[in-house]
Amino acid sequence: MISEKMTQLGKKRSVIRELFEYGNMRKAQIGAENVFDFSLGNPSIPAPEIVTETMLRLIKEKDTVALHGYTSAQGALPVRQAISDDIINRFSAEANPNLIYMTCGAAASLTISLHALINQGDEVIVLAPFFPEYRVFAEKAGAILKIVKCREADFQIDFEALGKAINSKTKAIIVNSPNNPSGVVLSEASIRGLAELLTAKSKEFGNDIYIIADEPYRELVYGDVSVPYIPNYYDNTIVCYSFSKSLSLPGERIGYIFVSPKVCDCETVYAAVCGAGRALGFVCAPSLLQYTVAEVLGKTSDIAVYEKNRNILYEALTDYGYTVARPDGAFYLFMKSPESDAGAFCERAKKYEILIVPGDDFGYEGYVRICYCVSTEMILKSLEGFKKLYEEYR
Ligand code: PLP
């Protein structure tokens, strides 16, 4: 008998994937240019030139046996040193290469961190709306997932609800800012409030409560918005970072875990991270990618296109009458469905060849997610459909 749980997980396709497949079918039937596929968060702008140049140079110039050989399980030391320096320089935070663990992207960073922290039956809090894979990762690690909804008015933290959700079993809270699916950046006031609340609750229950900061969208922010660096506000923070979105490299699978030196008994927590990485088989992240990212830290793809897309969509949709959470980052827009059943609204949108995802899977009913990491041309072509779709509800 094989694992029933894993079989079910493997068979169950996410709503997003279903929609993506539907989109491919429609593209084959009516032409890709006539389908407005806003379903998947796959970066639409190329990786910066410097990434390709660095990779080619490394392949040509570096000793290929060393380049393609195993690095240390936790990642090559010079790479971890470069990342540590970058954290110190960019965020004025304390860092140390011996507290950095290279991973295959944020998904691996999250699942390793959760396995490192969780004992069976511990609770992990997620702030809705949230990336649906959190449930899979947390439950696989033995945790019970607790959902706390953000305030509908601005998608910042609802501290009253969060305070009630924390108890003696709370081990961690996953914080994702800029957020998938809302695009909202948590304000400095929210992060300060969170730090205060967790400090008070840790004392009250006599347990350390960790923030797992899931940060694949850190660099994707628009205008003069800044994203507070959580280790500077709360000591027990583990950062799960990924280069998937900032460098448009999601298929290459590269990221890291950073255990802040301020974490209580940080060396033991890091040892647990190394142990979880080992137990899960996530050792020695792809070496070419490790060496590449170490040379391009702080660089991003040209995100001006995303900002332009955000502006066009946000302005048009609010003008038609939709209610939209104003996104300051990532490449998602979270829009209130004009009918309470967001799934029914998404079905209706298909009439106009518009593919958008109901918020239910993100723990937030009555909303839909629109990924705008697509061509500006496609967005402009889709607007008429969005307008007509809204008019159906007048
Ligand atoms: N966390 C969030 C919020 C995401 O949106 C994603 C991917 O879309 C991930 C984690 C996983 O990212 P990665 O490709 O780095 O595994």
Side-chain angles (χ1 to χ4, degrees), residues 98-164:
N98 296 324
L99 294 174
I100 288 169
Y101 189 97
M102 300 305 296
T103 65
C104 295
S109 301
L110 286 162
T111 200
I112 292 172
S113 300
L114 286 161
H115 275 84
L117 297 178
I118 297 301
N119 287 302
Q120 192 71 32
D122 285 346
E123 293 185 359
V124 170
I125 294 178
V126 293
L127 300 171
F130 64 94
F131 181 52
E133 294 303 281
Y134 291 163
R135 177 183 292 286
V136 179
F137 300 155
E139 289 180 352
K140 166 70 184 64
I144 294 160
L145 197 78
K146 261 195 153 170
I147 300 171
V148 175
K149 279 192 165 188
C150 283
R151 301 188 306 220
E152 193 175 359
D154 55 5
F155 289 91
Q156 298 288 323
I157 298 171
D158 178 343
F159 284 106
E160 206 186 318
L162 180 59
K164 284 188 192 144

Side-chain angles (χ1 to χ4, degrees), residues 52-246:
T52 320
E53 286 163 16
T54 306
M55 278 184 166
L56 290 173
R57 181 170 47 74
L58 287 170
I59 288 170
K60 280 191 191 139
E61 291 176 7
K62 219 171 151 74
D63 165 10
T64 50
V65 175
L67 179 65
H68 300 305
Y70 287 121
T71 64
S72 308
Q74 65 270 42
L77 180 57
V79 173
R80 289 182 286 120
Q81 182 69 58
I83 290 173
S84 170
D85 293 346
D86 183 59
I87 291 170
I88 294 167
N89 293 335
R90 271 205 294 156
F91 309 118
S92 305
E94 287 175 33
N96 169 348
N98 296 324
L99 294 174
I100 288 169
Y101 189 97
M102 300 305 296
T103 65
C104 295
S109 301
L110 286 162
T111 200
I112 292 172
S113 300
L114 286 161
H115 275 84
L117 297 178
I118 297 301
N119 287 302
Q120 192 71 32
D122 285 346
E123 293 185 359
V124 170
I125 294 178
V126 293
L127 300 171
F130 64 94
F131 181 52
E133 294 303 281
Y134 291 163
R135 177 183 292 286
V136 179
F137 300 155
E139 289 180 352
K140 166 70 184 64
I144 294 160
L145 197 78
K146 261 195 153 170
I147 300 171
V148 175
K149 279 192 165 188
C150 283
R151 301 188 306 220
E152 193 175 359
D154 55 5
F155 289 91
Q156 298 288 323
I157 298 171
D158 178 343
F159 284 106
E160 206 186 318
L162 180 59
K164 284 188 192 144
I166 300 173
N167 60 39
S168 60
K169 289 190 187 154
T170 308
K171 180 53 70 68
I173 172 168
I174 304 179
V175 175
N176 170 225
S177 169
N179 180 263
N180 174 10
S182 73
V184 168
V185 174
L186 288 179
S187 66
E188 191 180 18
S190 288
I191 299 300
R192 280 194 196 285
L194 179 63
E196 273 168 32
L197 178 66
L198 295 183
T199 305
K201 291 286 180 185
S202 299
K203 261 198 202 128
E204 181 183 338
F205 295 114
N207 287 332
D208 289 325
I209 302 174
Y210 298 88
I211 293 182
I212 298 178
D214 179 25
E215 303 214 322
Y217 302 99
R218 160 161 289 281
E219 283 82 12
L220 273 59
V221 281
Y222 312 116
D224 56 4
V225 173
S226 65
V227 184
Y229 198 59
I230 299 180
N232 288 342
Y233 295 82
Y234 186 67
D235 289 352
N236 281 327
T237 298
I238 297 176
V239 177
C240 291
Y241 185 78
S242 165
F243 296 91
S244 290
K245 317 284 174 165
S246 57

Side-chain angles (χ1 to χ4, degrees), residues 376-387:
T376 308
E377 197 192 344
M378 189 192 105
I379 291 183
L380 291 170
K381 249 182 118 179
S382 73
L383 293 182
E384 192 58 30
F386 275 112
K387 193 171 178 200

